[in-house]
Amino acid sequence: MKAAIQAVEFNHQVQQLLAACDLPTEDLLLPVTARRLFGCQLDGRLAGLVGVEIHGPDALLRSLAVADSARGKALGAALLAYAEQYAAAQGVQTIYLLTTTAETFFAQRGYSLAQRVAAPAAIAATQQFSGLCPAAAAFMLKRLNQPAG
Ligand SMILES: CC(C)(COP(=O)(O)OP(=O)(O)OC[C@H]1O[C@@H](n2cnc3c(N)ncnc32)[C@H](O)[C@@H]1OP(=O)(O)O)[C@@H](O)C(=O)NCCC(=O)NCCS
């Protein structure tokens, strides 16, 4: 399955998809200058979403969600790779995330567990980190390869 991934704004479909996946939406209403959402449509509906919030050399990956009916077709992996490439192009060196549901998915894609106390201040200050994700959520990171030149 090949679906075009493009920038999307926070809207009702985004809200619905994230809610269906039990992922937080409340902080998406808050302005974060360097937050971008990317999504893809299938049959005219938002089928997948990923978000990235950039804080200098660090980024928070969030809101990775694929609709139930579209799962298992490599959409999640494609969205993750897209967000990583976008972040790397912005000069991000390390991506961080919190997850209660998909630790193995991320571990298979190069993410490793990290100590929350080691989080950079800007990542620790995000709503996801400081309140929205439960303390039991796995905190993971991946170092990105910087483009040559
Ligand atoms: C995690 C998620 C994005 C994966 O989307 P997807 O499009 O089904 O994933 P892909 O098709 O690219 O990859 C499927 C592979 O990942 C594995 N996988 C999917 N979800 C997984 C999960 N939650 N935990 C572990 N492995 C998972 C599948 O078993 C499959 O493995 P295989 O390639 O060895 O067969 C999707 O299940 C989802 O939206 N989950 C709910 C929201 C969530 O947990 N988001 C992550 C936290 S931000």
Side-chain angles (χ1 to χ4, degrees):
M1 179 178 57
K2 197 85 177 154
I5 298 172
Q6 54 194 12
V8 295
E9 297 297 325
F10 183 65
N11 61 21
H12 186 57
Q13 281 197 36
V14 168
Q15 156 103 43
Q16 276 192 328
L17 178 57
L18 291 175
C21 292
D22 279 333
L23 295 178
T25 57
E26 43 271 58
D27 58 327
L28 286 173
L29 297 168
L30 301 171
V32 170
T33 313
R35 180 200 297 132
R36 294 288 178 273
L37 294 174
F38 302 103
C40 58
Q41 302 242 340
L42 287 176
D43 301 324
R45 289 195 60 78
L46 184 69
L49 184 76
V50 68
V52 62
E53 294 178 8
I54 295 180
H55 303 275
D58 302 309
L60 181 73
L61 185 114
R62 55 162 310 153
S63 306
L64 178 64
V66 172
D68 256 349
S69 57
R71 287 190 188 168
K73 300 171 183 171
L75 207 49
L79 285 158
L80 180 60
Y82 190 96
E84 289 174 352
Q85 281 164 25
Y86 172 80
Q90 308 303 309
V92 168
Q93 292 164 12
T94 311
I95 292 198
Y96 297 85
L97 63 84
L98 289 151
T99 182
T100 56
T101 49
E103 185 181 326
T104 308
F105 175 86
F106 289 114
Q108 288 170 343
R109 285 158 185 85
Y111 288 78
S112 48
L113 286 171
Q115 298 282 337
R116 275 187 182 233
V117 289
I123 299 297
T126 61
Q127 290 255 317
Q128 290 244 326
F129 193 99
S130 60
L132 291 178
C133 286
F139 180 53
M140 305 182 85
L141 68 78
K142 180 175 180 177
R143 308 240 180 250
L144 301 179
N145 295 323
Q146 293 300 296

